[in-house]
Every structure is written in C-alpha cells, then in structure tokens.
C-alpha cells in the first residue's frame, strides 16, 4: 500500500529526529514545526492512509498504542501537565498532505480554538 515520505523515514532511508520508537510505532519531529513541540506519531504499517481507513476490528490495538505513545512523548517532552493537542488531518479539506496515518502532537504554547 501507499509508499510515502514516511515509509522512507520508517526504513531510515531519510533522516528524522526520532523521539520514540517501538515495534509498531515511530514518532519524530515535524520538519515544519507549528509549535515548540510538534511531533508526528505514526504506525509503521502503511496500510492506513487516513482515519477513514480505520477499522476498529483490525486497528483498535494499534490505535491504543498511538495514544499510549502520545501520552509518553508528552510526558518526556514536558508538556503533559501544561497541555497538548492531538490532531489527525483526514483528506484535502483538513489539509492532509501525507497519506500515511499520522497524529500531530502540538505543545509548548497556548493554542487557539477553533483551529484555522
Ligand atoms: P498533514 O498535513 O497532516 O498531512 O501533515 C504532514 C506533516 O508532515 C507536515 O506537518 C509536514 C510533515 N513532513 C512532511 N515531510 C516530512 C519529512 O520529510 N520529515 C519530517 N520530519 N516531517 C515531514
């Protein structure tokens, strides 16, 4: 399924500032950070291009692991108590650019609501 720039990051063919990794998940700093802490948390499998491909029967464990990773990273990077935002962009209107499921973790500054 979908080969993207994130596939190359997973295979370590292009560099990234990795902040967390286990067998199923990789997390690294966004190349174009929108906050002092801006991390992308991705499954290593590329079978899920977007949230619309999520099937709870197949993916619930993986999704749980993504949130576990987000909580650990937020703690490790010192934004767990001050607060952070998790975002999953799905499709063109949401501004999704990379079609490999990814969760953005923003933190380290006060954020506006609603988002633009
Ligand atoms: P989205 O718009 O939700 O699809 O976000 C994709 C994000 O991926 C965007 O914030 C920029 C980031 N990004 C794209 N290419 C690279 C890359 O090669 N390295 C890193 N670290 N981030 C990337």
């Amino acid at each position: 399924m979908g080969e993207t720039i994130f596939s190359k990051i997973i295979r370590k063919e292009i560099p990234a500032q990795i902040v967390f990794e286990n067998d199923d998940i990789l997390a690294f700093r966004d190349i174009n950070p929108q906050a002092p802490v801006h991390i992308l948390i991705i499954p290593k499998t590329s079978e899920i291009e977007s949230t619309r491909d999520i099937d709870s029967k197949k993916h619930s464990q993986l999704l749980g692991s993504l949130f576990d990773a987000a909580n650990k990273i937020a703690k490790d990077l010192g934004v767990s108590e001050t607060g952070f935002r998790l975002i999953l962009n799905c499709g063109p209107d949401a501004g999704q650019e990379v079609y490999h499921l990814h969760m953005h973790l923003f933190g380290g500054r006060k954020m506006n609501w609603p988002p633009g």
Side-chain angles (χ1 to χ4, degrees):
M1 293 233 189
E3 170 81 14
T4 67
I5 192 84
F6 291 173
S7 312
K8 292 193 169 70
I9 291 175
I10 291 164
R11 294 197 299 264
K12 315 274 167 72
E13 290 169 8
I14 62 170
Q17 292 181 45
I18 293 171
V19 297
F20 175 84
E21 180 167 17
N22 67 18
D23 287 347
D24 303 317
I25 288 169
L26 187 69
F28 49 93
R29 291 187 190 276
D30 195 289
I31 204 166
N32 182 22
Q34 302 300 312
V37 173
H38 184 173
I39 307 297
L40 299 171
I41 306 165
I42 69 173
K44 286 186 173 174
T45 175
S46 61
E47 77 175 60
I48 313 171
E49 294 185 353
S50 256
T51 58
R52 61 188 162 212
D53 303 315
I54 290 171
D55 175 347
S56 64
K57 286 182 215 73
K58 276 198 280 183
H59 302 129
S60 55
Q61 191 174 346
L62 184 61
L63 290 176
S65 301
L66 278 180
F67 280 94
D68 284 348
N71 285 332
K72 176 175 170 26
I73 292 161
K75 234 181 224 166
D76 290 349
L77 299 184
V79 298
S80 184
E81 295 304 320
T82 47
F84 57 95
R85 184 172 287 173
L86 299 174
I87 294 178
L88 294 107
N89 292 324
C90 180
D93 277 1
Q96 184 174 5
E97 289 172 358
V98 181
Y99 281 79
H100 179 129
L101 185 74
H102 53 281
M103 184 186 269
H104 294 257
L105 187 160
F106 292 98
R109 68 167 168 81
K110 196 93 180 154
M111 278 164 267
N112 299 321
W113 190 261

